[in-house]
Amino acid sequence: MNDPTQIHANVVVAGVGGQGVVLAGNIIADVCMYYGLDVKKAEVHGMSQRGGAVSSQVRFGVEVHGGLIEKGQLNWIVGFEWAEALRWMPLLSPEGSVFVSTEEIIPPSALKDRVSGMVRYPLELLDHPRVRAFDAPALAKQAGNVKAAGVVLLGALSIDLPFSLDVWNQALTRWVPTKALEINLRAFELGRRWEEKAPVTKPQPVPKPITRQVWLNLEESWCKGCGICVNVCPERIWTLNQKNVVEALSPERCTGCGLCEKLCPDFAIDVLTESTIRVNEEGGSVLWQPN
Amino acid sequence: MATTAKIRKLLLGNEAIGLGALHAGVRVATGYPGTPSTETLEYMAQVAADETQVQWATNEKVALDEGVGAALAGSRVLVTMKHVGLNVAMDAWMTSPLVGVNAGLVVLVADDPGMHSSQNEQDSRYLGRFAGVLIFEPTDSQECYDFVRAAFDASERWDSPVMIRTTTRISHLRAPVTPHDPDILPSRPFQRNSGKYVMLPVNARAGRQRLLERLPQMTDWVESHPFNQEEMRSTSIGVITSGTSYQYVRDVMPEASVLKLGITNPLPEQKIRRFAQKVERLLVVEESEPYLEESVRSLGIDAQGKVFFPRAGELSPELVRLGFQQAGILEVPTSSNPAIWPESVMRPPVLCPGCPHATPFLVLREIGAYVNGDIGCYTLGASEPLSAMDTCLSMGSSIGMAVGMAKAGVKDRPIVATIGDSTFLHGGIPAFIDAVWNDADITVLILDNGTTAMTGGQAHAGTGTNLRSSGLPRVDIAALCRTMGAGSVVVVDPYDVGATHRAMLGATRYRGVSVVITNRPCVQAPTKLFGRTYGVDANLCDGCQLCMNIGCPALGWDLATEDRRIALIDADQCTGCTVCAQICPQSAILPVPAGSGSRGGK
C-alpha cells in the first residue's frame, strides 16, 4: 500500500450537481497517471447534474478494467455532502473509510411533509471510527472561498494515500482555473491538517413535528362552483361535488396559505390560522373561532 | 503535433472519439447534443485546428444529411448523436449505405442503458445491423480513440458509413489515451456520379445489390480483424462479450476465457464457432438486448446469456457477479455480516434556483390545463411539487400530441404543448405547421431560455452562435410562429408571475393555435446569472408553504421553530428571480439589504 506505483484502490467522490465532483475525481486520476498507474473513472453527466446526486468513481492500479466499483471493494469515500456520502457507504470494504463534509444539502423532495414539517433526510451525523466528518466549508472559507470545500476534502484524503504533496499540487495546478488556484492550494493544505484546523461540529437538534392548526370555514350557499379555489390550492384539497359546490376533500392537508380565501370571488371561504386569529384579537374583532 | 502526440492523456470516451476523429483527418464534425454523446463535439471544438468545421446541427437527421454530403464532397466526417437521435436520422441512415461515401463517414451513436438521461434504452446495434453497416464497439477510452481511426479507414474501404456504438459507461469513462501521429490523407474531390448518388428506384436497386454483395465480404474481413480478440485462459468457461460488459467480466471473472468482440456487425461466425469449441461452457454477457446471444444461437451454438444477466437497465460488476453465481459458475458467498448504514435520501434532478421554467408550470397547474410536455429540463415540470405535466414522449412530440388530443374531442380543459426553444427548432416545427393547417385548438408554450440547457448549454439556431462561431443569423421564434400562421403570439417574462398567468389565460381562451413564449435566459448557461439575493422575514412568514410549491432548491425550512416551518432562503443559491417574493401571501420575502447577504463566501 505504500508504494505509489503498486497501489490498487477504489475511491468515490460524491456530492450534488455543481459541487465540483467531476473535477475532484480528475485531480485524483491525474495524480495516479503521474505514477504510471492505470486509471478508470466513471463520471455522471446529463440530467443528474441538475441538482441530483453526482459522483466520480475512480479506480486505479497497475491494471484496472471497468469504471464501476463493486460492492465491498470501495476503499475511500470523499463526501462533499453528508447524504451523498451515506449513499455510498454500503459499498465500503471492511477497512474502507470516509472523509465527509458536515454540509447537509436538503433536496426539495425531502420537504414534502408540509403538515407535519418533518424532514425526510438523515440529519444526524454518524459517530463511527471510519467516518471522519468535519466542517470542510469552514476551512474553505478560511482559505478564501467556500467553493473550495471539495479541495479541502481532497487534502484530507491525500494524507491516507502514498502520493507526494508536490504531485498533488501539480495536479491542482493543471485542473483548477488559474484565478482560483491560490485559494485551492491553501484549501488543500488546510484539508491535510483538518484534525487541528476544523472547527468542532455541534450536533444539530433533530426537529420535532410541528403543531400548526388551521381552520377552514366554507359558506356553501355563497359558492357558485367557479372552481378557482380548486385550481389554485397548492395542496389540492378542494373539489367540486355533484351539486357543483366546493367541498374540502382533504382538509387535514391544508397549510393555511389562504390563496383560496383571497381569490374566491364570492367570499365563501375563510382560512384561519393561529396567526390570523392573533391579528384579529389584537384588532379587537374576532370573526370566527374554532369550537 | 507529432511531437506532443505521444503524451498519455486522461480523456472521456467521447473526447477520445473526438481526438481520434481529428487525428483521422476529419474536416467536418456535426451532431445534435444528447446525453451521453454531447462532449464529443464540444471537445473537438476546443482542440481542432481552425479550418476544421465543428458545429451543432438543428437535429440528427440534418446532421447525418450534412455528413453524407460532406463525405461525398471528399471530407472525412464524424456525426454524433444519442441512441434516440438515430431514430430521428433513420430515413437518411437506412439509405446512406446504398449511396456510399467518398471520404470516410463515421457515426457515433451513444446508447443509454439504464436511462440515466433518456426516454428509452434501445439497443442501437440492431439499427446498425438493420442498415447493413459495420458496428465498432470500444471498451475504454484508448479503444475509442483507436477504433474511430480504424472506422474511417473501414468506411472508405467498404464505401459505407460505419457506426461507433458506445454506452454511457464508455462515453463517460475517463481513462488514459496514448494518441498516435495524425493521418495524412490523399485528396478525394467530389466526383459527379448521379447513378450512384441519386436514389431513384433504379439506382437504389443497384445500391441495394452492392450492399448485399459487400456484406459477405465484410464478414470475411471481420473474421481476421484484430478488434475481435480471443483471450484464452481457463477453458471451463468461455464468455462472448463487448463494450463495457467486457470490462465487468474481466473484473469479476479474471480466469474466464473471453471472445471480445470489437466489431459487432457483421459478426465473425467462424471465430465464434472456433471459440465455442474450445470452451466447455459458453456464456454471452451483454447490456440491454440479447443481440449477440441471438446471433450466436442462430449459428446453432449452445450459449446462455439473458437467463442470467438482466435485459433491463445497465449492467454492473455486481450484476455480472450475480449472473455468474446464478449460472453456478461463481460460488454464492456464505452470508457475511455487513455494516448497517443509515439510509440516504432520494435526490432526483430538480429545476435550478431561479429557473425560468418554474413559473410557467406553476401557472399551468393553476389553470389546470392538459399539458403535453417535451424533452428538456422542463420535463422536470412533471415532478413534485410542480406536478404539471400529463404526457411526454420524444423530441418534438408535445405539439403533435396536443393536436391529437384536440382532434380526439377533448374540451373540458385547455390543451397545452410545452416545448423548449432548442427542441422546437429540432422537431417541433413540422407539428406546429400541422396544428395551424388542421386548425387545432391548442396553446403552444415555448419555453425559450436561449440555450439547449439539459445537455449543458449548447448553441442552437436561435442563439446566433455555434460551437466555433458567433454573430450568426438567428431564428426569431416569435416571428417564425407568426409566419407559420399562429393567430396569437405573446412574448412574456416568466419572472413576472402575474403577466405569465394573464398571458396563459388569454392564450388558452383563444380559439385556434395560440403561442406564449417565455423569454428569460437559462440561469446556468451560457453564463451563470445572479441577481440580488432575497431573504425571509421570520416575523412576517407564517409558514404557509406556498413558496415551497415552486420547488426551488434555494428554498428550505427553518427547523428551529416548533409550531410552524418558516421558509428559509439559502443566500448562496438564490439568484434573485423574485418569483417566491411575488407569490408570498404575507409579503415576507424581501431583498436582502446590500452588503449583508453572502454569495459564494467571497
Side-chain angles (χ1 to χ4, degrees), chain A residues 26 41 43 45 47 50 59 66 70-71 81 83-84 87 105 114 117 145 208 212 231 234 236 255, chain B residues 8 39 117 172 174 176 248 251 318 321 341 344-345 347 350 365-366 453 543-544 549 562 565 600:
Chain A
N26 287 351
K41 171 172 178 269
E43 297 178 5
H45 291 246
M47 207 159 189
R50 296 280 163 270
R59 305 190 62 210
E70 202 179 341
K71 191 170 184 177
E81 196 273 346
E84 291 313 315
R87 193 183 306 287
I105 301 176
R114 294 176 191 164
N145 192 326
K208 297 187 199 79
R212 174 187 44 211
N231 282 337
R236 291 279 186 260
T255 61
Chain B
R8 208 162 65 128
E39 299 81 10
S117 302
H172 291 163
R174 203 177 282 275
Y248 303 151
D251 272 327
E318 279 96 8
R321 185 177 296 280
W341 302 98
S344 187
V345 65
R347 199 186 296 276
V350 290
R365 211 179 106 128
E366 281 187 23
C544 83
N549 290 293
E562 280 186 16
R565 288 280 179 263

Side-chain angles (χ1 to χ4, degrees), chain A residues 123-147:
Chain A
L123 290 163
E124 269 180 292
L125 296 178
L126 273 185
D127 188 16
H128 189 285
R130 288 186 284 124
V131 177
R132 288 168 276 182
F134 62 95
D135 192 344
L139 289 183
K141 240 174 204 165
Q142 271 184 44
N145 192 326
V146 71
K147 284 183 183 159

Side-chain angles (χ1 to χ4, degrees), chain B residues 369-422:
Chain B
Y370 291 124
V371 180
N372 296 282
D374 222 301
I375 309 283
C377 290
Y378 48 92
T379 317
L380 297 171
S383 46
E384 286 187 72
L386 291 165
S387 313
M389 191 177 286
D390 297 294
T391 71
C392 173
L393 180 63
S394 69
M395 286 289 287
S397 292
S398 58
I399 300 174
M401 288 182 71
V403 174
M405 266 192 183
K407 294 296 166 184
V410 171
K411 291 221 182 325
D412 59 327
R413 289 161 186 269
I415 299 168
V416 175
T418 63
I419 185 165
D421 42 347
S422 191

Side-chain angles (χ1 to χ4, degrees), chain A residues 41-288:
Chain A
K41 171 172 178 269
E43 297 178 5
V44 171
H45 291 246
M47 207 159 189
S48 288
Q49 287 179 306
R50 296 280 163 270
V54 173
S55 63
S56 284
Q57 305 185 42
V58 191
R59 305 190 62 210
F60 48 92
V62 176
E63 192 189 19
V64 178
H65 293 290
L68 300 186
I69 299 166
E70 202 179 341
K71 191 170 184 177
Q73 299 185 4
L74 175 55
N75 304 102
W76 282 279
I77 298 170
V78 182
F80 288 13
E81 196 273 346
W82 172 243
E84 291 313 315
L86 266 183
R87 193 183 306 287
W88 288 91
M89 286 183 198
L91 270 75
L92 274 179
S93 74
E95 300 78 34
S97 67
V98 182
F99 291 98
V100 57
S101 168
T102 51
E103 186 176 9
E104 298 183 324
I105 301 176
I106 300 175
S109 56
L111 306 177
K112 280 200 293 204
D113 295 342
R114 294 176 191 164
V115 172
S116 73
M118 288 307 283
V119 179
R120 298 185 199 175
Y121 180 99
L123 290 163
E124 269 180 292
L125 296 178
L126 273 185
D127 188 16
H128 189 285
R130 288 186 284 124
V131 177
R132 288 168 276 182
F134 62 95
D135 192 344
L139 289 183
K141 240 174 204 165
Q142 271 184 44
N145 192 326
V146 71
K147 284 183 183 159
V151 170
V152 170
L153 289 155
L154 278 188
L157 170 76
S158 73
I159 296 289
D160 273 14
L161 292 171
F163 307 134
S164 89
L165 178 59
D166 272 355
V167 176
W168 281 104
N169 283 342
Q170 283 168 28
L172 284 166
T173 310
R174 263 194 294 277
W175 287 95
V176 174
T178 319
K179 62 176 181 183
L181 181 62
E182 211 180 304
I183 287 171
N184 278 278
L185 290 174
R186 261 203 308 274
F188 190 81
E189 185 54 37
L190 281 170
R192 287 173 72 89
R193 290 152 58 199
W194 70 272
E195 279 183 285
E196 49 170 305
K197 293 283 183 188
V200 181
T201 311
K202 278 172 269 166
Q204 216 183 340
V206 176
K208 297 187 199 79
I210 53 171
T211 55
R212 174 187 44 211
Q213 283 183 291
V214 183
W215 295 271
L216 288 172
N217 190 26
L218 174 70
E219 187 51 58
E220 279 185 35
S221 61
W222 292 0
C223 173
K224 64 171 183 285
C226 71
I228 289 177
C229 56
V230 176
N231 282 337
V232 299
C233 175
E235 302 297 331
R236 291 279 186 260
I237 72 166
W238 297 109
T239 186
L240 285 176
N241 65 18
Q242 285 175 330
K243 292 184 286 177
N244 204 34
V245 166
V246 75
E247 187 179 301
L249 207 61
S250 45
E252 72 285 354
R253 292 182 51 79
C254 177
T255 61
C257 74
L259 217 51
C260 54
E261 176 188 301
K262 289 187 179 72
L263 293 175
C264 175
D266 303 305
F267 307 101
I269 302 173
D270 275 335
V271 180
L272 293 167
T273 61
E274 283 160 296
S275 60
T276 51
I277 291 165
R278 221 174 291 138
V279 170
N280 289 334
E281 278 169 352
E282 281 163 17
S285 60
V286 179
L287 295 174
W288 180 82

Side-chain angles (χ1 to χ4, degrees), chain B residues 366-586:
Chain B
E366 281 187 23
I367 291 175
Y370 291 124
V371 180
N372 296 282
D374 222 301
I375 309 283
C377 290
Y378 48 92
T379 317
L380 297 171
S383 46
E384 286 187 72
L386 291 165
S387 313
M389 191 177 286
D390 297 294
T391 71
C392 173
L393 180 63
S394 69
M395 286 289 287
S397 292
S398 58
I399 300 174
M401 288 182 71
V403 174
M405 266 192 183
K407 294 296 166 184
V410 171
K411 291 221 182 325
D412 59 327
R413 289 161 186 269
I415 299 168
V416 175
T418 63
I419 185 165
D421 42 347
S422 191
T423 308
F424 181 68
L425 298 171
H426 170 288
I429 291 172
F432 190 97
I433 295 169
D434 184 277
V436 174
W437 178 32
N438 287 308
D439 191 26
D441 189 11
I442 63 167
T443 297
V444 180
L445 172 57
I446 301 177
L447 303 157
D448 183 0
N449 60 359
T451 191
T452 315
M454 183 86 266
T455 42
Q458 288 75 25
H460 61 66
T463 62
T465 57
N466 206 328
L467 277 162
R468 312 192 89 188
S469 5
S470 55
L472 300 170
R474 50 183 296 263
V475 174
D476 179 337
I477 291 176
L480 177 63
C481 291
R482 286 187 195 104
T483 303
M484 289 190 288
S488 159
V489 179
V490 177
V491 181
V492 70
D493 177 2
Y495 282 178
D496 186 334
V497 181
T500 308
H501 204 281
R502 286 190 295 277
M504 281 307 296
L505 267 183
T508 52
R509 285 168 186 165
Y510 181 86
R511 166 71 192 78
V513 177
S514 57
V515 180
V516 174
I517 301 172
T518 59
N519 69 344
R520 276 276 170 176
C522 173
V523 290
Q524 294 283 356
T527 39
K528 292 207 176 204
L529 300 178
F530 279 116
R532 188 171 177 184
T533 300
Y534 275 62
V536 178
D537 185 327
N539 294 318
L540 294 176
C541 174
D542 67 353
C544 83
Q545 309 296 317
L546 189 61
C547 55
M548 298 303 290
N549 290 293
I550 304 166
C552 175
L555 274 162
W557 285 338
D558 179 351
L559 295 174
T561 38
E562 280 186 16
D563 60 335
R564 55 204 158 136
R565 288 280 179 263
I566 287 174
L568 197 66
I569 293 177
D570 178 356
D572 288 332
Q573 289 197 64
C574 176
T575 66
C577 76
T578 76
V579 169
C580 59
Q582 288 176 55
I583 66 169
C584 176
Q586 310 299 331

